[in-house]
Amino acid sequence: MTDGQIKELRQEAEHLFYHGYDNYMKHAFPEDELRPLSCKPLTRDRLDPSHIELNDALGNYSLSLVDSLTTLAILASSSSQAQRTKALRHFQIGVASLVEQYGDGSEGSASQGLRARGFDVDSKVQVFETMIRGVGGLLSAHLFAMGELPITGYLPENAASTSGSISIQWPQGFIYNGQLLRLARDLADRLVPAFHTDTGIPYPRVNLRHGIPFYSESPLHRDAEKGVCSKTQQRSPELTETCSAGAGSLLLEFTTLSRLTGDSRYETLGKRAFWSIWDRKGSTGLVGAGIDSETGLWTSSYTGIGAGIDSFYEYAGKAYILLSAVNSTSASIDGSSHKWDMPGSYLQVWSDSHTAINHHLRRGKMFIHPHYIQADLFTGATRAHWFDSLSAFYPGVLTLLGHVEEATEVHLLNTALWSRYSALPERWSTTAGSIEGGAGWWGGRPEFIESTYYLYRATRDPWYLHVGEMVLRDIKRRCWAKCGWAGIQDVRSGDRTDRMESFFLSETAKYLFLLFEPDHPLNTIDAPFVFNTEGHPLILPRAKDSLRTPIRVSEPRMPVNSNGDSTASTCPMPAGMQPFSLSAVAARGDVYHAANLARLHFMPTLETIESPLIEYSADHPSVSISDVRSPSNFTYYPWTLPLELIPYNATCDKMTARPTFDITFPILPTGVLTPASLQRVLNGILVNSVSGLRLGMIQDVKVDTSGVPNGGELYRVQAINNIAMGKDEKVFMARDTAANVVNPSDPNFTRVRDTAMLDLVVDVVPESVYRTDDSSTLFEHPSSDNSSSSNASAPNLDSSPAHENSQPESSMKLAFNSLIEHFAALIHSQGQELNRGRSRQYIPAVTPTGAGAAPLPDVEDALGPNPSREPRGDLLWNTIYLIGNNCGGRLPLSVVREHQILIMKRGGCSFGQKLQNIPSVPPSKQSLQLVIVVSYDDAEEGPPSGWLIRPLLEAQQLTSTGLPRHRPVPMVMVGGGEKTYDVFRRVVGLGVKRRYSVEAQGVPISNLIMI
């Protein structure tokens, strides 16, 4: 795109803004919004207070003017001198008009405006909307007025006076002395009562005049002496449900306000609300959409990246950027340091959230093209396949935080959808390929063009300029009205709504202008500023000004992963230009994958001209035929993309299809599938009957290994009948459940015994019983050497043995088995003194490999606890002897003859030497059956703590006399060091339980556990 074309588009974006703003000031000011079709103001619905779609945002304080001031300030840095002068004049007049209506925010007589003293209006509004639009708009406009944010040619450096106040003379005779900041504080103070909750999560709504009388359970209403609510107070029916975005997206505005005023109260409240949400995240690591302000409980199990959640993740990343300014962090309200105050803490939240989103919500290239779904907050199971227009913000945040490739992929789909509908519908289903639930409106939302702006700034790829051109043309063609810009009620029919939302002027027009103004000061500023979620730029003020109070300084902390390694990202370099094309995006191999998912190839060619602009085009020179003609070709997108940007020999990548199939079990004569056949348990579902059962399989579990069939990916059960499964959920099935139903040689359902991993089933007596019971059958060698003990942690005996992974030396077969959790994940013993004071627990163990390895005794698998968590049946072996590291010479013959289990410590000598010190005895049920070696973690390089490497017995086992052992001694190894060794001191019964996995077509099913 040539410089001349970009200039023309910038001018069109300016005209787009002024067409809306001028008509608002003419037909609607000082009311909140404009009706562009009827040329009248839009106000609160006083007759229906429950009309929250309108009343939550419209607070009766000239909302559209407050929201438009920052756009005017940004237009005041236009490349055109005439446009700069015009925009700056409108900005200064707008500030003066606002002060005239609502006063200057001071304590004196000038605080009374024509409409109100400050924002003392009887309006119940949503805290979130008022914060991002009202407080954010006023603060940002103040930063522009003070010169903290740049306006070309505007230099208010001589503003400060000796008294500490400011006085800036503007050409119209108005003196700016901080009125916007004082008004912002006035509005913020009226929101503060909503933060009076026990949870730290603010109430969703507040009355700007009366506070929160409708929330009777608020601590604000409690008796100061008795700490209880008055008996005369009645529980109101007012909804206390808010959302993660509404409660957790307040800290940017409140932090900026605290830094400007020196009052840390606002910053503390905003940060407290953010962390109160994050600390309640689900087991998936994600936050939900709805949460109760009073109880702190989630009101819905849905999660995603769109409505109700979006800006929480946005503010996590942007808080890190904003708070990193000059390495400054605020002190907490009592002057102490807290995680709230560390910039790196917010980056860690973003990093953890991004990881969880990709794991649970992102569907990758195997689903035609990457996109995001709705999932269960606690299990990660799929709940819906639609995404909304608000989620179009996500590519912008990804770009801002360095994930440009991921952002590009997601943005492609949004662009394809816009090309199809000439707008983004509120909800769209990826499975149906159509609008979800009739939600086909577009009210002028800015998220898509915002992400386009960020991606262009990061890549400078002209493709994004043509996307912006498409958006501009479609808005002019479909939304133009005589008195402004209307929303679209249905993107399919083109029916319009008589409302111009304030964010259209605040965000949509602003981002379009910035996209086509590459040299704007905000595009080149070297400072950590951010746009709030309403498009108002914020920056922490420099400490030199008298109105700004410097606060403590500390170093930011980089986020780390579970291994303690830094996860900080660096922004990648833009992709290089492709041969015969100026656009790397246009030459991507997955461009048509996104078009396929959006069903662009099903769209007909449209030749008709449809636009209300047609009748006015003769009198409006800014309107061209491009503005009124519908897209004419859906074979590529955006429809404004010139053919010369598409490589003449471009080809698309092969579209991958993830292998999926169903395993259906026959209906047995003995019964049909009933609700009792499937039982929800910890970490998954227990299958009690396979009669009529259907398992939906998908191959999407990656394993970083070589020599694995089908590209190193395992199958996963993604659904049981109509029950969706999360990626981390397991399906548990007893071995006998399908024994008589499935042919053992069935290639789609083959049970495979794990040859490396097993579980030791132990009955453990409590510490108190162990120390007082003289009849214990457990013995310890007098010379037991404890010198090899270390600080290694014991395995979690009350949780799944699958958490103790193993890694073989020569084959990754065991890597599959280490993914398979044991049935112990269902049952937590919790160390209870059950059934004669015993608790039955599991210890994962690994068998050795090599010439000296011996098979385990051919015994029945031990039974685990019953559903009541009590031991079932007696364990096979109950005479146990602890012998230290067994490196000091030959054991007494009586020890081996009279004890079934020997426990020894790893280290001191080789495994072969330890076994050689065990004398040979005739086999019997009472003599030695199994040797258990307890491993101690050390500082040597190897797998992470908690992993087990199979012991290597290089040579054939020998007797103490050096002869080959006729009957080799079976051995296994466990982890955990001294803590595990101490557990064996209290073991009164021991058995073994082998592990089994299931394979489908030779590929393991990762989350199907045979018990």
Side-chain angles (χ1 to χ4, degrees):
M1 185 175 289
T2 66
D3 291 342
Q5 291 174 313
I6 296 175
K7 177 181 177 181
E8 291 177 1
L9 291 172
R10 185 202 72 231
Q11 293 173 343
E12 290 188 42
E14 290 174 326
H15 295 159
L16 179 139
F17 170 78
Y18 283 119
H19 179 65
Y21 178 76
D22 291 343
N23 276 287
Y24 163 75
M25 296 300 291
K26 178 180 179 181
H27 298 289
F29 179 77
E31 301 299 340
D32 285 318
E33 288 183 347
L34 168 68
R35 294 183 181 272
L37 300 179
S38 56
C39 301
K40 296 178 180 179
L42 179 65
T43 62
R44 292 174 57 82
D45 190 345
R46 296 289 184 183
L47 299 178
D48 183 10
S50 64
H51 189 185
I52 58 177
E53 292 82 1
L54 198 65
N55 294 338
D56 272 356
L58 306 190
N60 197 26
Y61 57 86
S62 307
L63 176 61
S64 289
L65 175 59
V66 173
D67 240 358
S68 298
L69 289 176
T70 58
T71 307
L72 286 166
I74 288 173
L75 292 178
S77 293
S78 172
S79 299
S80 167
Q81 176 63 48
Q83 291 298 325
R84 288 202 300 269
T85 303
K86 175 183 177 181
L88 183 59
R89 183 177 70 254
H90 276 292
F91 172 73
Q92 294 170 340
I93 292 174
V95 172
S97 300
L98 194 69
V99 171
E100 180 183 24
Q101 295 295 324
Y102 303 99
D104 67 355
S106 68
E107 299 294 333
S109 58
S111 64
Q112 180 64 51
L114 297 178
R115 303 196 79 190
R117 183 183 297 274
F119 297 105
D120 181 26
V121 291
D122 186 13
S123 299
K124 185 167 75 172
V125 295
Q126 190 185 76
V127 174
F128 170 69
E129 292 290 354
T130 307
M131 179 71 77
I132 64 172
R133 302 191 195 199
V135 177
L138 292 168
L139 288 174
S140 183
H142 169 74
L143 291 169
F144 276 112
M146 291 296 299
E148 294 285 357
L149 289 170
I151 297 178
T152 301
Y154 176 71
L155 302 172
E157 67 274 2
N158 58 348
S161 68
T162 56
S163 63
S165 61
I166 56 174
S167 179
I168 304 175
Q169 182 70 48
W170 284 350
Q172 294 79 17
F174 181 82
I175 298 176
Y176 184 77
N177 57 19
Q179 294 96 326
L180 293 177
L181 175 60
R182 293 193 294 271
L183 286 173
R185 188 170 191 175
D186 175 86
L187 185 56
D189 286 340
R190 299 177 187 279
L191 302 180
V192 165
F195 290 79
H196 285 272
T197 64
D198 291 322
T199 61
I201 302 171
Y203 287 114
R205 294 174 181 83
V206 65
N207 187 289
L208 294 179
R209 174 174 293 167
H210 303 294
I212 55 169
F214 32 81
Y215 294 122
S216 59
E217 298 297 316
S218 170
L220 193 64
H221 304 313
R222 292 176 185 166
D223 188 288
E225 296 181 359
K226 299 180 181 180
V228 297
C229 294
S230 170
K231 292 182 179 180
T232 59
Q233 289 180 324
Q234 299 295 323
R235 173 88 176 173
S236 75
E238 187 70 26
L239 291 176
T240 57
E241 179 186 359
T242 185
C243 61
S244 296
S249 307
L250 311 171
L251 61 93
L252 296 184
E253 295 81 4
F254 261 8
T255 296
T256 305
L257 180 59
S258 284
R259 303 307 176 90
L260 287 165
T261 62
D263 186 346
S264 62
R265 176 176 53 128
Y266 308 107
E267 186 170 353
T268 299
L269 291 175
K271 290 178 176 178
R272 178 177 178 241
F274 176 90
W275 289 102
S276 294
I277 295 293
W278 179 246
D279 290 342
R280 290 171 169 83
K281 61 182 177 295
S283 54
T284 55
L286 301 167
V287 298
I291 191 169
D292 192 285
S293 301
E294 293 182 342
T295 66
L297 300 177
W298 297 105
T299 58
S300 169
S301 63
Y302 268 60
T303 186
I305 62 170
I309 302 171
D310 49 357
S311 57
F312 179 87
Y313 298 133
E314 175 188 357
Y315 272 39
K318 289 183 176 180
Y320 166 70
I321 298 172
L322 185 70
L323 293 173
S324 296
V326 201
N327 290 332
S328 63
T329 64
S330 74
S332 60
I333 198 166
D334 58 0
S336 61
S337 181
H338 194 277
K339 72 176 180 180
W340 297 352
D341 309 314
M342 302 297 292
S345 297
Y346 297 92
L347 186 56
Q348 185 71 59
V349 171
W350 160 256
S351 178
D352 293 346
S353 300
H354 180 232
T355 299
I357 288 170
N358 280 347
H359 181 63
H360 294 288
L361 304 180
R362 189 173 190 266
R363 306 188 77 177
K365 296 180 179 179
M366 70 287 295
F367 296 93
I368 301 179
H369 189 79
H371 58 277
Y372 301 91
I373 60 170
Q374 312 297 309
D376 188 276
L377 176 63
F378 304 104
T379 67
T382 301
R383 290 289 176 261
H385 294 91
W386 53 261
F387 63 89
D388 55 20
S389 61
L390 284 170
S391 63
F393 88 99
Y394 197 58
V397 177
L398 287 172
T399 304
L400 194 62
L401 292 161
H403 308 283
V404 177
E405 174 60 23
E406 186 180 346
T408 302
E409 291 177 336
V410 181
H411 186 268
L412 279 175
L413 179 58
N414 292 334
T415 306
L417 277 178
W418 186 287
S419 298
R420 175 176 174 179
Y421 293 107
S422 295
L424 276 189
E426 186 69 8
R427 282 187 183 181
W428 189 80
S429 170
T430 57
T431 54
S434 59
I435 291 171
E436 173 78 14
W441 60 86
W442 183 75
R445 289 198 186 279
E447 287 77 17
F448 173 58
I449 190 61
E450 175 187 6
S451 291
T452 305
Y453 161 71
Y454 279 118
L455 277 165
Y456 177 68
R457 296 306 310 165
T459 66
R460 301 299 180 91
D461 194 304
W463 193 82
Y464 296 106
L465 294 176
H466 291 287
V467 173
E469 181 187 8
M470 173 181 69
V471 172
L472 183 63
R473 299 274 180 244
D474 286 338
I475 289 175
K476 294 176 69 175
R477 176 172 57 86
R478 307 194 75 189
C479 303
W480 189 92
K482 187 175 182 179
C483 295
W485 302 100
I488 304 175
Q489 182 60 38
D490 192 319
V491 296
R492 295 162 296 189
S493 65
D495 295 340
R496 295 179 295 165
T497 59
D498 195 12
R499 181 181 183 183
M500 185 177 72
E501 298 256 18
S502 69
F503 55 66
F504 182 85
L505 300 178
S506 172
E507 300 182 80
T508 307
K510 179 181 296 172
Y511 287 123
L512 279 170
F513 172 78
L514 286 173
L515 175 66
F516 300 125
E517 182 62 286
D519 296 326
H520 193 279
L522 285 181
N523 289 334
T524 57
I525 185 174
D526 184 16
F529 86 97
V530 296
F531 289 96
N532 84 337
T533 197
E534 187 69 11
H536 299 303
L538 297 173
I539 191 170
L540 294 188
R542 294 162 291 183
K544 63 180 179 62
D545 194 277
S546 59
L547 288 184
R548 288 158 275 168
T549 303
I551 313 182
R552 281 191 310 113
V553 173
S554 66
E555 290 295 327
R557 178 176 63 86
M558 293 295 103
V560 297
N561 57 24
S562 57
N563 295 325
D565 301 323
S566 174
T567 60
S569 299
T570 56
C571 293
M573 294 294 293
M577 294 300 178
Q578 300 297 310
F580 309 107
S581 173
L582 297 176
S583 170
V585 177
R588 286 176 63 97
D590 59 350
V591 167
Y592 294 99
H593 298 182
N596 182 279
L597 184 58
R599 279 68 166 185
L600 276 183
H601 54 293
F602 291 149
M603 298 302 295
T605 298
L606 302 178
E607 299 292 349
T608 58
I609 296 179
E610 46 170 347
S611 174
L613 273 175
I614 297 173
E615 57 184 295
Y616 299 102
S617 58
D619 301 324
H620 293 74
S622 64
V623 177
S624 66
I625 191 63
S626 298
D627 298 321
V628 298
R629 184 180 298 278
S630 296
S632 59
N633 195 320
F634 284 106
T635 58
Y636 60 91
Y637 64 97
W639 61 266
T640 51
L641 188 69
L643 287 174
E644 56 265 25
L645 260 67
I646 303 176
Y648 77 95
N649 60 347
T651 58
C652 64
D653 296 336
K654 181 179 179 181
M655 197 170 295
T656 58
R658 187 54 47 204
T660 59
F661 65 94
D662 288 348
I663 298 176
T664 304
F665 294 84
I667 299 178
L668 303 179
T670 55
V672 296
L673 192 67
T674 65
S677 301
L678 302 177
Q679 179 182 353
R680 173 66 69 176
V681 294
L682 180 67
N683 296 334
I685 292 178
L686 172 63
V687 177
N688 295 315
S689 172
V690 297
S691 178
L693 185 71
R694 186 179 72 254
L695 301 179
M697 312 299 298
I698 183 170
Q699 190 176 10
D700 68 349
V701 180
K702 293 185 178 295
V703 174
D704 186 14
T705 180
S706 59
V708 180
N710 294 295
E713 294 188 349
L714 312 183
Y715 281 115
R716 174 176 63 88
V717 180
Q718 65 173 340
I720 302 180
N721 291 1
N722 294 323
I723 303 174
M725 302 288 295
K727 288 186 176 180
D728 294 333
E729 287 193 290
K730 306 296 185 290
V731 179
F732 303 98
M733 183 182 298
R735 280 181 293 160
D736 297 336
T737 300
N740 299 321
V741 181
V742 181
N743 188 323
S745 61
D746 189 330
N748 290 322
F749 198 85
T750 308
R751 193 182 72 177
V752 180
R753 178 173 168 176
D754 193 326
T755 59
M757 290 294 294
L758 70 151
D759 293 301
L760 302 179
V761 184
V762 294
D763 283 346
V764 184
V765 298
E767 186 73 23
S768 59
V769 176
Y770 162 70
R771 295 187 181 277
T772 59
D773 187 1
D774 295 332
S775 62
S776 173
T777 56
L778 182 145
F779 300 91
E780 187 166 1
H781 196 278
S783 62
S784 179
D785 183 7
N786 293 325
S787 63
S788 62
S789 65
S790 71
N791 294 326
S793 60
N796 184 357
L797 301 179
D798 294 331
S799 62
S800 168
H803 291 295
E804 309 298 331
N805 298 304
S806 63
Q807 182 177 354
E809 294 173 323
S810 59
S811 171
M812 290 305 294
K813 168 71 172 158
L814 190 55
F816 300 148
N817 301 320
S818 68
L819 296 173
I820 301 178
E821 292 197 9
H822 195 274
F823 182 48
L826 308 180
I827 306 168
H828 285 259
S829 298
Q830 306 298 335
Q832 300 180 32
E833 297 182 22
L834 302 172
N835 192 13
R836 296 172 291 168
R838 294 180 294 157
S839 63
R840 183 155 294 183
Q841 302 174 352
Y842 292 93
I843 302 177
V846 64
T847 60
T849 186
L856 293 176
D858 187 15
V859 296
E860 291 290 332
D861 281 358
L863 296 175
N866 62 18
S868 300
R869 300 184 178 181
E870 298 173 345
R872 293 186 296 174
D874 293 328
L875 296 178
L876 184 62
W877 303 315
N878 52 31
T879 54
I880 303 169
Y881 199 90
L882 282 73
I883 56 176
N885 59 25
N886 198 34
C887 295
R890 185 175 182 270
L891 283 176
L893 193 64
S894 60
V895 171
V896 183
R897 182 184 295 118
E898 298 172 3
H899 297 88
Q900 299 160 316
I901 305 295
L902 295 182
I903 311 294
M904 61 179 66
K905 298 179 179 180
R906 184 181 181 182
C909 59
S910 67
F911 293 116
Q913 185 61 51
K914 293 177 186 292
L915 296 178
Q916 189 173 354
N917 289 336
I918 300 174
S920 298
V921 297
S924 70
K925 292 183 178 180
Q926 288 73 35
S927 63
L928 179 62
Q929 305 292 318
L930 181 66
V931 170
I932 301 173
V933 177
V934 180
S935 178
Y936 289 70
D937 292 339
D938 51 35
E940 297 179 2
E941 293 185 3
S945 175
W947 284 55
L948 293 174
I949 298 179
R950 297 185 70 180
L952 175 62
L953 301 180
E954 297 176 322
Q956 182 181 0
Q957 290 189 30
L958 303 176
T959 65
S960 57
T961 60
L963 297 175
R965 191 183 292 273
H966 181 60
R967 294 185 179 89
V969 178
M971 187 194 88
V972 297
M973 188 171 72
V974 300
E978 193 62 35
K979 291 184 178 180
T980 302
Y981 194 78
D982 182 66
V983 168
F984 280 114
R985 290 189 172 97
R986 297 183 283 116
V987 171
V988 294
L990 187 147
V992 296
K993 187 176 181 64
R994 296 165 179 82
R995 294 188 181 186
Y996 294 86
S997 62
V998 178
E999 293 183 353
Q1001 302 172 2
V1003 179
I1005 302 174
S1006 64
N1007 64 337
L1008 179 56
I1009 313 302
M1010 300 300 294
I1011 59 176

